[in-house]
Amino acid sequence: MKFFVDTANVSEIQELSDYGLVDGVTTNPSLIAKSGRNFKEVVAEICKIVSGPVSAEVAALDYDGMIAEGTVLSKIAPNIVVKLPLTLIGLKACRAFVSQGVKTNVTLCFSPNQALLAAKAGATYISPFLGRLDDIHLDGVQLIRDIRKIYDNYQFKTQILSASVRTANHVKEVALAGSDVATVPAAVIKGLANHVLTDRGLEQFVKDWKSTGQSIL
Ligand code: E4P
């Protein structure tokens, strides 16, 4: 499973990239607002750090606006993926971008049928938001399992990009469900390396090594 980092914070992306933990990046209007940066500038900077796919979301809700904005965004760098909302108009825009060879990420997916429509529109990625389903006491991971089954039934090429991932357990569950990608906040990605028994074991090894009085170098 690929890891995309779900942020528009360039220093977070750089740090994770240095650890080799970034296969791509997703941004959305809320993350851009949080960064306090100019959208096109920050996305261009991210594309210089990361060679993998970088999702940049249109703000328009009408067809012509989505096409105009998506066209501008797609020209920022070759690894830009145009992110479009899962509405009928967003799906129409998705088809248009697909026909031009522009990569697309259809976002704000909350049901298997929405994911089916995105695949039929030829989306490169579908972004089901599992954390927001959990927030309203529905089973977000089950949505990923259902989409996996449907896509496999019909050999759809659209990649499942599990989004709104909030916890280490979410990461494990979507990996078990066969998600192609998970987009995850930087702190959660770093947290995946942690285990209390790793810390305890290392502490003991350090203590025992010191007691030998030896040096490897
Ligand atoms: C990424 O593409 C999504 O916009 C993001 O994962 C949403 O996460 P949130 O529900 O935590 O805001």
Side-chain angles (χ1 to χ4, degrees):
M1 184 171 74
K2 288 183 178 154
F3 280 167
F4 289 0
V5 59
D6 200 17
T7 185
N9 181 317
V10 172
S11 38
E12 281 185 343
I13 294 167
Q14 185 65 67
E15 184 193 6
L16 278 176
S17 184
D18 292 344
Y19 286 126
L21 290 173
V22 178
D23 298 309
V25 175
T26 55
T27 64
N28 65 32
S30 307
L31 293 170
I32 296 297
K34 195 172 161 195
S35 78
R37 300 271 315 270
N38 173 277
F39 180 26
K40 288 186 276 180
E41 276 175 24
V42 75
V43 165
E45 207 173 315
I46 292 169
C47 289
K48 282 191 188 136
I49 300 171
V50 176
S51 59
V54 175
S55 288
E57 188 162 342
V58 299
L61 300 180
D62 64 297
Y63 180 76
D64 290 343
M66 284 184 195
I67 296 296
E69 291 180 359
T71 302
V72 168
L73 295 173
S74 70
K75 288 184 178 147
I76 292 177
N79 52 332
I80 284 285
V81 175
V82 175
K83 206 171 174 190
L84 300 153
L86 209 156
T87 59
L88 287 173
I89 293 169
L91 292 170
K92 184 178 170 188
C94 176
R95 279 184 193 281
F97 283 119
V98 169
S99 72
Q100 294 167 28
V102 173
K103 292 208 164 70
T104 54
N105 174 357
V106 175
T107 190
L108 289 166
C109 170
F110 293 95
S111 79
N113 284 334
Q114 287 183 313
L116 179 58
L117 291 185
K120 288 172 75 67
T124 315
Y125 299 99
I126 179 67
S127 287
F129 278 34
L130 65 125
R132 292 192 192 186
L133 283 171
D134 286 1
D135 290 346
I136 58 164
H137 309 292
L138 293 173
D139 187 348
V141 174
Q142 188 56 43
L143 174 60
I144 309 303
R145 293 189 198 106
D146 289 346
I147 298 172
R148 180 74 282 154
K149 175 82 178 128
I150 290 168
Y151 281 12
D152 288 350
N153 282 349
Y154 299 97
Q155 287 92 47
F156 282 122
K157 296 275 181 285
T158 299
Q159 295 183 52
I160 303 172
L161 198 177
S162 295
S164 190
V165 168
R166 308 266 175 75
T167 64
N169 199 48
H170 276 158
V171 175
K172 179 192 78 175
E173 291 293 336
V174 302
L176 286 170
S179 188
D180 298 290
V181 189
T183 187
V184 185
V188 177
I189 295 181
K190 285 199 283 180
L192 298 178
N194 296 340
H195 199 288
V196 65
L197 292 180
T198 304
D199 295 343
R200 203 182 295 168
L202 195 54
E203 200 180 318
Q204 187 66 46
F205 287 161
V206 168
K207 199 170 149 214
D208 291 344
W209 178 247
K210 267 190 192 149
S211 77
T212 70
Q214 297 180 47
S215 159
I216 295 173
L217 299 177

